[in-house]
Amino acid sequence: MLAVFVKEINSFLNSLIAYIVIGVFLTSIGLLMWVFPESSILEYGYADMSTLFNLGPYVFMFLIPAITMRFFSEEKRTGTEELLMTKPLTTLQIILGKYLAGFSLVVLSVLPTLIYFYSVYALGNPVGNLDISGTVGSYIGLILLGGVFVAIGIFSSALTDNQVVAFVLSVFLCFVLYSGLSSLATIDVWGDVSLWLQELSLVFHYESLSRGLIDIADIIYFISVIALMVFFTQLKLDAKKW
């Protein structure tokens, strides 16, 4: 598993993928937080990180599928999938190696935003006039959400040998699980099912963490979705062995 992880990390670092993804994420969030007047902290004069945590998931929704679309699609296209599967590794180890590589890139993308956090902290009046607990909870939620998107992306990549199809499918699934279910719950036809749909959505648990209340139920939810997507990916890849 470590060998797969190292291979994927080297693949990222030896190409422009990692640098483009991190650069696009930081640049887009930076522009939204400091430059564009509709969302700039400097315009509305309130020290918070809401722009990052409200818009970050939607940026991730496109950038993470761009990372993961090649994980298994590229293996299928180049014919190296069969070679990979014959290595002395279980299917789960292969999946987890690729997953950890993608998740590491997500964490590397989020870490530089601590500069934005420090800037907002220093600009507060008085200095430090910032909801620290809410910010910490939001960072935890954003990283866990990125982990879910990586798992969804890997599953989508395992379904097809076409990277474009894998990208589109991954974006669609990320959107549905993040805000699609909660939007569906607002339609007045579901009755008691509406609350159930709302609680199934990623945004429900993400916003819960963003309030600064680190509820173990929310963390278990994210981990469960990741485990479920990894399990589906394993089923898909193991089905080809039969």
Side-chain angles (χ1 to χ4, degrees):
M1 187 174 73
L2 180 61
V4 175
F5 171 78
V6 172
K7 170 183 173 294
E8 295 297 337
I9 288 293
N10 287 335
S11 177
F12 287 141
L13 298 180
N14 291 331
S15 68
L16 292 176
I17 296 175
Y19 309 104
I20 290 175
V21 168
I22 294 174
V24 169
F25 177 73
L26 294 177
T27 301
S28 58
I29 293 299
L31 290 173
L32 290 168
M33 287 186 65
W34 304 105
V35 179
F36 296 158
E38 296 82 4
S39 56
S40 173
I41 294 174
L42 302 177
E43 288 293 328
Y44 63 79
Y46 186 75
D48 70 9
M49 300 280 289
S50 60
T51 301
L52 168 62
F53 299 121
N54 290 340
L55 300 179
Y58 293 98
V59 177
F60 269 168
M61 203 175 291
F62 290 92
L63 290 183
I64 291 177
I67 299 171
T68 60
M69 66 181 184
R70 54 172 289 278
F71 275 165
F72 286 106
S73 298
E74 181 71 11
E75 302 280 4
K76 294 177 182 178
R77 188 184 66 81
T78 58
T80 58
E81 183 185 26
E82 290 77 9
L83 178 63
L84 182 64
M85 291 302 177
T86 58
K87 297 292 184 181
L89 294 167
T90 65
T91 304
L92 182 60
Q93 288 174 324
I94 294 172
I95 296 170
L96 290 179
K98 290 178 177 289
Y99 174 82
L100 291 175
F103 184 67
S104 298
L105 192 57
V106 170
V107 174
L108 287 175
S109 300
V110 173
L111 284 179
T113 64
L114 292 175
I115 297 173
Y116 302 154
F117 167 75
Y118 176 76
S119 300
V120 175
Y121 182 90
L123 287 171
N125 186 16
V127 173
N129 184 24
L130 180 65
D131 182 6
I132 302 296
S133 61
T135 302
V136 171
S138 296
Y139 266 113
I140 293 173
L142 187 61
I143 291 174
L144 288 173
L145 186 65
V148 172
F149 287 172
V150 171
I152 293 173
I154 289 178
F155 171 64
S156 300
S157 181
L159 293 177
T160 176
D161 59 357
N162 189 308
Q163 293 188 37
V164 176
V165 174
F167 173 80
V168 173
L169 180 60
S170 181
V171 172
F172 173 74
L173 291 176
C174 288
F175 174 78
V176 169
L177 288 178
Y178 180 71
S179 59
L181 291 177
S182 62
S183 299
L184 193 63
T186 61
I187 302 175
D188 295 330
V189 296
W190 304 107
D192 295 336
V193 180
S194 295
L195 179 60
W196 182 71
L197 287 173
Q198 183 73 26
E199 292 178 345
L200 274 180
S201 67
L202 290 167
V203 69
F204 177 85
H205 298 274
Y206 177 67
E207 290 178 348
S208 177
L209 288 172
S210 298
R211 300 186 191 101
L213 300 173
I214 312 300
D215 191 340
I216 190 65
D218 295 320
I219 296 177
I220 290 175
Y221 168 82
F222 282 108
I223 294 175
S224 298
V225 176
I226 292 171
L228 189 63
M229 287 298 161
V230 169
F231 175 68
F232 286 157
T233 305
Q234 184 179 9
L235 285 181
K236 176 63 176 65
L237 294 178
D238 283 341
K240 299 189 66 174
K241 296 180 180 180
W242 298 93

mmCIF file with all atom_site columns, all heavy atoms in Angstrom, residues 2-3 7 32 50 113 121 136 142 148 152 176 178 190 194 197 213 225 228 231 240:
data_model
loop_
_atom_site.group_PDB
_atom_site.id
_atom_site.type_symbol
_atom_site.label_atom_id
_atom_site.label_alt_id
_atom_site.label_comp_id
_atom_site.label_asym_id
_atom_site.label_entity_id
_atom_site.label_seq_id
_atom_site.pdbx_PDB_ins_code
_atom_site.Cartn_x
_atom_site.Cartn_y
_atom_site.Cartn_z
_atom_site.occupancy
_atom_site.B_iso_or_equiv
_atom_site.pdbx_formal_charge
_atom_site.auth_seq_id
_atom_site.auth_comp_id
_atom_site.auth_asym_id
_atom_site.auth_atom_id
_atom_site.pdbx_PDB_model_num
ATOM 1   N N   . LEU A 1 2   ? 1.964   1.206  0.764   1.00 0.00 ? 2   LEU A N   1
ATOM 2   C CA  . LEU A 1 2   ? 2.880   2.342  0.809   1.00 0.00 ? 2   LEU A CA  1
ATOM 3   C C   . LEU A 1 2   ? 3.504   2.593  -0.559  1.00 0.00 ? 2   LEU A C   1
ATOM 4   O O   . LEU A 1 2   ? 3.702   3.744  -0.965  1.00 0.00 ? 2   LEU A O   1
ATOM 5   C CB  . LEU A 1 2   ? 3.972   2.087  1.850   1.00 0.00 ? 2   LEU A CB  1
ATOM 6   C CG  . LEU A 1 2   ? 5.014   3.201  2.026   1.00 0.00 ? 2   LEU A CG  1
ATOM 7   C CD1 . LEU A 1 2   ? 4.346   4.486  2.476   1.00 0.00 ? 2   LEU A CD1 1
ATOM 8   C CD2 . LEU A 1 2   ? 6.088   2.767  3.026   1.00 0.00 ? 2   LEU A CD2 1
ATOM 9   N N   . ALA A 1 3   ? 3.784   1.503  -1.284  1.00 0.00 ? 3   ALA A N   1
ATOM 10  C CA  . ALA A 1 3   ? 4.374   1.641  -2.618  1.00 0.00 ? 3   ALA A CA  1
ATOM 11  C C   . ALA A 1 3   ? 3.409   2.346  -3.566  1.00 0.00 ? 3   ALA A C   1
ATOM 12  O O   . ALA A 1 3   ? 3.815   3.197  -4.367  1.00 0.00 ? 3   ALA A O   1
ATOM 13  C CB  . ALA A 1 3   ? 4.748   0.264  -3.166  1.00 0.00 ? 3   ALA A CB  1
ATOM 14  N N   . LYS A 1 7   ? 3.991   5.977  -5.230  1.00 0.00 ? 7   LYS A N   1
ATOM 15  C CA  . LYS A 1 7   ? 3.895   6.089  -6.693  1.00 0.00 ? 7   LYS A CA  1
ATOM 16  C C   . LYS A 1 7   ? 2.964   7.220  -7.097  1.00 0.00 ? 7   LYS A C   1
ATOM 17  O O   . LYS A 1 7   ? 3.273   8.023  -7.994  1.00 0.00 ? 7   LYS A O   1
ATOM 18  C CB  . LYS A 1 7   ? 3.396   4.765  -7.268  1.00 0.00 ? 7   LYS A CB  1
ATOM 19  C CG  . LYS A 1 7   ? 3.023   4.812  -8.744  1.00 0.00 ? 7   LYS A CG  1
ATOM 20  C CD  . LYS A 1 7   ? 2.477   3.492  -9.218  1.00 0.00 ? 7   LYS A CD  1
ATOM 21  C CE  . LYS A 1 7   ? 1.929   3.574  -10.640 1.00 0.00 ? 7   LYS A CE  1
ATOM 22  N NZ  . LYS A 1 7   ? 0.730   4.447  -10.731 1.00 0.00 ? 7   LYS A NZ  1
ATOM 23  N N   . LEU A 1 32  ? -11.634 35.507 -3.864  1.00 0.00 ? 32  LEU A N   1
ATOM 24  C CA  . LEU A 1 32  ? -12.978 35.623 -3.287  1.00 0.00 ? 32  LEU A CA  1
ATOM 25  C C   . LEU A 1 32  ? -12.939 36.289 -1.913  1.00 0.00 ? 32  LEU A C   1
ATOM 26  O O   . LEU A 1 32  ? -13.835 37.062 -1.555  1.00 0.00 ? 32  LEU A O   1
ATOM 27  C CB  . LEU A 1 32  ? -13.615 34.234 -3.185  1.00 0.00 ? 32  LEU A CB  1
ATOM 28  C CG  . LEU A 1 32  ? -13.998 33.574 -4.509  1.00 0.00 ? 32  LEU A CG  1
ATOM 29  C CD1 . LEU A 1 32  ? -14.350 32.113 -4.304  1.00 0.00 ? 32  LEU A CD1 1
ATOM 30  C CD2 . LEU A 1 32  ? -15.181 34.314 -5.151  1.00 0.00 ? 32  LEU A CD2 1
ATOM 31  N N   . SER A 1 50  ? -15.892 32.979 6.663   1.00 0.00 ? 50  SER A N   1
ATOM 32  C CA  . SER A 1 50  ? -17.053 32.352 6.044   1.00 0.00 ? 50  SER A CA  1
ATOM 33  C C   . SER A 1 50  ? -16.891 32.175 4.534   1.00 0.00 ? 50  SER A C   1
ATOM 34  O O   . SER A 1 50  ? -17.403 31.212 3.959   1.00 0.00 ? 50  SER A O   1
ATOM 35  C CB  . SER A 1 50  ? -18.323 33.152 6.349   1.00 0.00 ? 50  SER A CB  1
ATOM 36  O OG  . SER A 1 50  ? -18.218 34.468 5.846   1.00 0.00 ? 50  SER A OG  1
ATOM 37  N N   . THR A 1 113 ? -3.979  27.904 3.608   1.00 0.00 ? 113 THR A N   1
ATOM 38  C CA  . THR A 1 113 ? -5.033  28.874 3.946   1.00 0.00 ? 113 THR A CA  1
ATOM 39  C C   . THR A 1 113 ? -4.918  29.338 5.391   1.00 0.00 ? 113 THR A C   1
ATOM 40  O O   . THR A 1 113 ? -5.625  30.268 5.796   1.00 0.00 ? 113 THR A O   1
ATOM 41  C CB  . THR A 1 113 ? -6.433  28.271 3.720   1.00 0.00 ? 113 THR A CB  1
ATOM 42  O OG1 . THR A 1 113 ? -6.641  27.159 4.601   1.00 0.00 ? 113 THR A OG1 1
ATOM 43  C CG2 . THR A 1 113 ? -6.611  27.822 2.285   1.00 0.00 ? 113 THR A CG2 1
ATOM 44  N N   . TYR A 1 121 ? -7.261  37.042 11.620  1.00 0.00 ? 121 TYR A N   1
ATOM 45  C CA  . TYR A 1 121 ? -7.044  37.138 13.068  1.00 0.00 ? 121 TYR A CA  1
ATOM 46  C C   . TYR A 1 121 ? -6.381  38.470 13.425  1.00 0.00 ? 121 TYR A C   1
ATOM 47  O O   . TYR A 1 121 ? -6.770  39.148 14.386  1.00 0.00 ? 121 TYR A O   1
ATOM 48  C CB  . TYR A 1 121 ? -6.176  35.967 13.526  1.00 0.00 ? 121 TYR A CB  1
ATOM 49  C CG  . TYR A 1 121 ? -5.904  35.909 15.010  1.00 0.00 ? 121 TYR A CG  1
ATOM 50  C CD1 . TYR A 1 121 ? -6.756  35.211 15.867  1.00 0.00 ? 121 TYR A CD1 1
ATOM 51  C CD2 . TYR A 1 121 ? -4.781  36.533 15.558  1.00 0.00 ? 121 TYR A CD2 1
ATOM 52  C CE1 . TYR A 1 121 ? -6.501  35.147 17.232  1.00 0.00 ? 121 TYR A CE1 1
ATOM 53  C CE2 . TYR A 1 121 ? -4.519  36.468 16.922  1.00 0.00 ? 121 TYR A CE2 1
ATOM 54  C CZ  . TYR A 1 121 ? -5.384  35.778 17.745  1.00 0.00 ? 121 TYR A CZ  1
ATOM 55  O OH  . TYR A 1 121 ? -5.132  35.723 19.093  1.00 0.00 ? 121 TYR A OH  1
ATOM 56  N N   . VAL A 1 136 ? -11.989 26.373 13.724  1.00 0.00 ? 136 VAL A N   1
ATOM 57  C CA  . VAL A 1 136 ? -11.378 25.043 13.859  1.00 0.00 ? 136 VAL A CA  1
ATOM 58  C C   . VAL A 1 136 ? -12.349 23.963 13.381  1.00 0.00 ? 136 VAL A C   1
ATOM 59  O O   . VAL A 1 136 ? -11.971 23.050 12.635  1.00 0.00 ? 136 VAL A O   1
ATOM 60  C CB  . VAL A 1 136 ? -10.966 24.786 15.324  1.00 0.00 ? 136 VAL A CB  1
ATOM 61  C CG1 . VAL A 1 136 ? -10.538 23.323 15.513  1.00 0.00 ? 136 VAL A CG1 1
ATOM 62  C CG2 . VAL A 1 136 ? -9.840  25.722 15.735  1.00 0.00 ? 136 VAL A CG2 1
ATOM 63  N N   . LEU A 1 142 ? -14.014 20.878 6.488   1.00 0.00 ? 142 LEU A N   1
ATOM 64  C CA  . LEU A 1 142 ? -13.539 21.027 5.108   1.00 0.00 ? 142 LEU A CA  1
ATOM 65  C C   . LEU A 1 142 ? -12.592 19.896 4.721   1.00 0.00 ? 142 LEU A C   1
ATOM 66  O O   . LEU A 1 142 ? -12.664 19.364 3.607   1.00 0.00 ? 142 LEU A O   1
ATOM 67  C CB  . LEU A 1 142 ? -12.840 22.383 4.953   1.00 0.00 ? 142 LEU A CB  1
ATOM 68  C CG  . LEU A 1 142 ? -12.428 22.776 3.526   1.00 0.00 ? 142 LEU A CG  1
ATOM 69  C CD1 . LEU A 1 142 ? -13.652 22.872 2.622   1.00 0.00 ? 142 LEU A CD1 1
ATOM 70  C CD2 . LEU A 1 142 ? -11.673 24.098 3.531   1.00 0.00 ? 142 LEU A CD2 1
ATOM 71  N N   . VAL A 1 148 ? -14.173 12.896 1.639   1.00 0.00 ? 148 VAL A N   1
ATOM 72  C CA  . VAL A 1 148 ? -15.344 12.266 1.015   1.00 0.00 ? 148 VAL A CA  1
ATOM 73  C C   . VAL A 1 148 ? -15.298 12.446 -0.498  1.00 0.00 ? 148 VAL A C   1
ATOM 74  O O   . VAL A 1 148 ? -15.542 11.501 -1.265  1.00 0.00 ? 148 VAL A O   1
ATOM 75  C CB  . VAL A 1 148 ? -16.652 12.864 1.580   1.00 0.00 ? 148 VAL A CB  1
ATOM 76  C CG1 . VAL A 1 148 ? -17.852 12.356 0.787   1.00 0.00 ? 148 VAL A CG1 1
ATOM 77  C CG2 . VAL A 1 148 ? -16.810 12.502 3.047   1.00 0.00 ? 148 VAL A CG2 1
ATOM 78  N N   . ILE A 1 152 ? -15.307 9.597  -3.446  1.00 0.00 ? 152 ILE A N   1
ATOM 79  C CA  . ILE A 1 152 ? -16.280 9.601  -4.537  1.00 0.00 ? 152 ILE A CA  1
ATOM 80  C C   . ILE A 1 152 ? -15.556 9.604  -5.882  1.00 0.00 ? 152 ILE A C   1
ATOM 81  O O   . ILE A 1 152 ? -15.938 8.896  -6.825  1.00 0.00 ? 152 ILE A O   1
ATOM 82  C CB  . ILE A 1 152 ? -17.214 10.821 -4.431  1.00 0.00 ? 152 ILE A CB  1
ATOM 83  C CG1 . ILE A 1 152 ? -18.110 10.693 -3.190  1.00 0.00 ? 152 ILE A CG1 1
ATOM 84  C CG2 . ILE A 1 152 ? -18.077 10.964 -5.685  1.00 0.00 ? 152 ILE A CG2 1
ATOM 85  C CD1 . ILE A 1 152 ? -18.940 11.925 -2.910  1.00 0.00 ? 152 ILE A CD1 1
ATOM 86  N N   . VAL A 1 176 ? -24.636 16.076 -5.665  1.00 0.00 ? 176 VAL A N   1
ATOM 87  C CA  . VAL A 1 176 ? -25.859 15.460 -5.138  1.00 0.00 ? 176 VAL A CA  1
ATOM 88  C C   . VAL A 1 176 ? -25.728 15.192 -3.642  1.00 0.00 ? 176 VAL A C   1
ATOM 89  O O   . VAL A 1 176 ? -26.626 15.511 -2.862  1.00 0.00 ? 176 VAL A O   1
ATOM 90  C CB  . VAL A 1 176 ? -26.181 14.152 -5.900  1.00 0.00 ? 176 VAL A CB  1
ATOM 91  C CG1 . VAL A 1 176 ? -27.281 13.368 -5.182  1.00 0.00 ? 176 VAL A CG1 1
ATOM 92  C CG2 . VAL A 1 176 ? -26.621 14.467 -7.323  1.00 0.00 ? 176 VAL A CG2 1
ATOM 93  N N   . TYR A 1 178 ? -23.604 16.545 -1.552  1.00 0.00 ? 178 TYR A N   1
ATOM 94  C CA  . TYR A 1 178 ? -23.322 17.730 -0.745  1.00 0.00 ? 178 TYR A CA  1
ATOM 95  C C   . TYR A 1 178 ? -24.565 18.606 -0.568  1.00 0.00 ? 178 TYR A C   1
ATOM 96  O O   . TYR A 1 178 ? -25.017 18.844 0.542   1.00 0.00 ? 178 TYR A O   1
ATOM 97  C CB  . TYR A 1 178 ? -22.197 18.559 -1.363  1.00 0.00 ? 178 TYR A CB  1
ATOM 98  C CG  . TYR A 1 178 ? -21.879 19.801 -0.553  1.00 0.00 ? 178 TYR A CG  1
ATOM 99  C CD1 . TYR A 1 178 ? -21.245 19.699 0.683   1.00 0.00 ? 178 TYR A CD1 1
ATOM 100 C CD2 . TYR A 1 178 ? -22.221 21.072 -1.007  1.00 0.00 ? 178 TYR A CD2 1
ATOM 101 C CE1 . TYR A 1 178 ? -20.964 20.828 1.443   1.00 0.00 ? 178 TYR A CE1 1
ATOM 102 C CE2 . TYR A 1 178 ? -21.939 22.207 -0.252  1.00 0.00 ? 178 TYR A CE2 1
ATOM 103 C CZ  . TYR A 1 178 ? -21.314 22.076 0.968   1.00 0.00 ? 178 TYR A CZ  1
ATOM 104 O OH  . TYR A 1 178 ? -21.049 23.196 1.728   1.00 0.00 ? 178 TYR A OH  1
ATOM 105 N N   . TRP A 1 190 ? -42.382 15.620 0.709   1.00 0.00 ? 190 TRP A N   1
ATOM 106 C CA  . TRP A 1 190 ? -41.759 14.476 1.356   1.00 0.00 ? 190 TRP A CA  1
ATOM 107 C C   . TRP A 1 190 ? -42.288 14.193 2.757   1.00 0.00 ? 190 TRP A C   1
ATOM 108 O O   . TRP A 1 190 ? -42.147 13.089 3.260   1.00 0.00 ? 190 TRP A O   1
ATOM 109 C CB  . TRP A 1 190 ? -40.242 14.670 1.431   1.00 0.00 ? 190 TRP A CB  1
ATOM 110 C CG  . TRP A 1 190 ? -39.608 14.917 0.108   1.00 0.00 ? 190 TRP A CG  1
ATOM 111 C CD1 . TRP A 1 190 ? -39.106 16.092 -0.363  1.00 0.00 ? 190 TRP A CD1 1
ATOM 112 C CD2 . TRP A 1 190 ? -39.412 13.965 -0.946  1.00 0.00 ? 190 TRP A CD2 1
ATOM 113 N NE1 . TRP A 1 190 ? -38.604 15.948 -1.636  1.00 0.00 ? 190 TRP A NE1 1
ATOM 114 C CE2 . TRP A 1 190 ? -38.775 14.638 -2.016  1.00 0.00 ? 190 TRP A CE2 1
ATOM 115 C CE3 . TRP A 1 190 ? -39.700 12.602 -1.098  1.00 0.00 ? 190 TRP A CE3 1
ATOM 116 C CZ2 . TRP A 1 190 ? -38.441 14.003 -3.199  1.00 0.00 ? 190 TRP A CZ2 1
ATOM 117 C CZ3 . TRP A 1 190 ? -39.361 11.973 -2.280  1.00 0.00 ? 190 TRP A CZ3 1
ATOM 118 C CH2 . TRP A 1 190 ? -38.739 12.668 -3.312  1.00 0.00 ? 190 TRP A CH2 1
ATOM 119 N N   . SER A 1 194 ? -38.386 14.481 4.701   1.00 0.00 ? 194 SER A N   1
ATOM 120 C CA  . SER A 1 194 ? -37.564 15.663 4.430   1.00 0.00 ? 194 SER A CA  1
ATOM 121 C C   . SER A 1 194 ? -36.404 15.773 5.412   1.00 0.00 ? 194 SER A C   1
ATOM 122 O O   . SER A 1 194 ? -35.263 16.035 5.015   1.00 0.00 ? 194 SER A O   1
ATOM 123 C CB  . SER A 1 194 ? -38.418 16.933 4.490   1.00 0.00 ? 194 SER A CB  1
ATOM 124 O OG  . SER A 1 194 ? -39.385 16.938 3.473   1.00 0.00 ? 194 SER A OG  1
ATOM 125 N N   . LEU A 1 197 ? -33.801 13.176 4.599   1.00 0.00 ? 197 LEU A N   1
ATOM 126 C CA  . LEU A 1 197 ? -32.999 13.563 3.438   1.00 0.00 ? 197 LEU A CA  1
ATOM 127 C C   . LEU A 1 197 ? -31.987 14.645 3.814   1.00 0.00 ? 197 LEU A C   1
ATOM 128 O O   . LEU A 1 197 ? -30.839 14.621 3.372   1.00 0.00 ? 197 LEU A O   1
ATOM 129 C CB  . LEU A 1 197 ? -33.905 14.060 2.306   1.00 0.00 ? 197 LEU A CB  1
ATOM 130 C CG  . LEU A 1 197 ? -34.725 13.024 1.551   1.00 0.00 ? 197 LEU A CG  1
ATOM 131 C CD1 . LEU A 1 197 ? -35.676 13.706 0.583   1.00 0.00 ? 197 LEU A CD1 1
ATOM 132 C CD2 . LEU A 1 197 ? -33.810 12.065 0.795   1.00 0.00 ? 197 LEU A CD2 1
ATOM 133 N N   . LEU A 1 213 ? -19.161 23.104 17.125  1.00 0.00 ? 213 LEU A N   1
ATOM 134 C CA  . LEU A 1 213 ? -19.532 21.984 17.987  1.00 0.00 ? 213 LEU A CA  1
ATOM 135 C C   . LEU A 1 213 ? -19.040 20.691 17.336  1.00 0.00 ? 213 LEU A C   1
ATOM 136 O O   . LEU A 1 213 ? -19.633 20.214 16.366  1.00 0.00 ? 213 LEU A O   1
ATOM 137 C CB  . LEU A 1 213 ? -21.052 21.941 18.187  1.00 0.00 ? 213 LEU A CB  1
ATOM 138 C CG  . LEU A 1 213 ? -21.669 23.184 18.832  1.00 0.00 ? 213 LEU A CG  1
ATOM 139 C CD1 . LEU A 1 213 ? -23.190 23.084 18.827  1.00 0.00 ? 213 LEU A CD1 1
ATOM 140 C CD2 . LEU A 1 213 ? -21.162 23.360 20.255  1.00 0.00 ? 213 LEU A CD2 1
ATOM 141 N N   . VAL A 1 225 ? -19.295 7.587  5.078   1.00 0.00 ? 225 VAL A N   1
ATOM 142 C CA  . VAL A 1 225 ? -19.459 7.819  3.636   1.00 0.00 ? 225 VAL A CA  1
ATOM 143 C C   . VAL A 1 225 ? -18.175 7.443  2.905   1.00 0.00 ? 225 VAL A C   1
ATOM 144 O O   . VAL A 1 225 ? -18.215 6.818  1.837   1.00 0.00 ? 225 VAL A O   1
ATOM 145 C CB  . VAL A 1 225 ? -19.845 9.279  3.348   1.00 0.00 ? 225 VAL A CB  1
ATOM 146 C CG1 . VAL A 1 225 ? -19.918 9.524  1.841   1.00 0.00 ? 225 VAL A CG1 1
ATOM 147 C CG2 . VAL A 1 225 ? -21.183 9.624  3.991   1.00 0.00 ? 225 VAL A CG2 1
ATOM 148 N N   . LEU A 1 228 ? -17.951 3.707  2.784   1.00 0.00 ? 228 LEU A N   1
ATOM 149 C CA  . LEU A 1 228 ? -18.931 3.153  1.843   1.00 0.00 ? 228 LEU A CA  1
ATOM 150 C C   . LEU A 1 228 ? -18.443 3.281  0.403   1.00 0.00 ? 228 LEU A C   1
ATOM 151 O O   . LEU A 1 228 ? -18.568 2.346  -0.396  1.00 0.00 ? 228 LEU A O   1
ATOM 152 C CB  . LEU A 1 228 ? -20.268 3.884  2.020   1.00 0.00 ? 228 LEU A CB  1
ATOM 153 C CG  . LEU A 1 228 ? -21.474 3.297  1.278   1.00 0.00 ? 228 LEU A CG  1
ATOM 154 C CD1 . LEU A 1 228 ? -21.786 1.889  1.788   1.00 0.00 ? 228 LEU A CD1 1
ATOM 155 C CD2 . LEU A 1 228 ? -22.701 4.202  1.452   1.00 0.00 ? 228 LEU A CD2 1
ATOM 156 N N   . PHE A 1 231 ? -15.711 0.846  -0.190  1.00 0.00 ? 231 PHE A N   1
ATOM 157 C CA  . PHE A 1 231 ? -16.295 -0.494 -0.306  1.00 0.00 ? 231 PHE A CA  1
ATOM 158 C C   . PHE A 1 231 ? -16.887 -0.709 -1.699  1.00 0.00 ? 231 PHE A C   1
ATOM 159 O O   . PHE A 1 231 ? -16.685 -1.768 -2.317  1.00 0.00 ? 231 PHE A O   1
ATOM 160 C CB  . PHE A 1 231 ? -17.373 -0.675 0.758   1.00 0.00 ? 231 PHE A CB  1
ATOM 161 C CG  . PHE A 1 231 ? -18.131 -1.967 0.667   1.00 0.00 ? 231 PHE A CG  1
ATOM 162 C CD1 . PHE A 1 231 ? -17.516 -3.177 0.931   1.00 0.00 ? 231 PHE A CD1 1
ATOM 163 C CD2 . PHE A 1 231 ? -19.472 -1.971 0.283   1.00 0.00 ? 231 PHE A CD2 1
ATOM 164 C CE1 . PHE A 1 231 ? -18.210 -4.372 0.833   1.00 0.00 ? 231 PHE A CE1 1
ATOM 165 C CE2 . PHE A 1 231 ? -20.175 -3.152 0.180   1.00 0.00 ? 231 PHE A CE2 1
ATOM 166 C CZ  . PHE A 1 231 ? -19.549 -4.366 0.454   1.00 0.00 ? 231 PHE A CZ  1
ATOM 167 N N   . LYS A 1 240 ? -14.233 -7.699 -11.483 1.00 0.00 ? 240 LYS A N   1
ATOM 168 C CA  . LYS A 1 240 ? -13.502 -7.987 -12.726 1.00 0.00 ? 240 LYS A CA  1
ATOM 169 C C   . LYS A 1 240 ? -12.634 -9.229 -12.616 1.00 0.00 ? 240 LYS A C   1
ATOM 170 O O   . LYS A 1 240 ? -12.155 -9.761 -13.616 1.00 0.00 ? 240 LYS A O   1
ATOM 171 C CB  . LYS A 1 240 ? -12.649 -6.790 -13.109 1.00 0.00 ? 240 LYS A CB  1
ATOM 172 C CG  . LYS A 1 240 ? -13.440 -5.516 -13.377 1.00 0.00 ? 240 LYS A CG  1
ATOM 173 C CD  . LYS A 1 240 ? -12.568 -4.426 -13.957 1.00 0.00 ? 240 LYS A CD  1
ATOM 174 C CE  . LYS A 1 240 ? -12.080 -4.820 -15.335 1.00 0.00 ? 240 LYS A CE  1
ATOM 175 N NZ  . LYS A 1 240 ? -11.337 -3.733 -15.995 1.00 0.00 ? 240 LYS A NZ  1
#
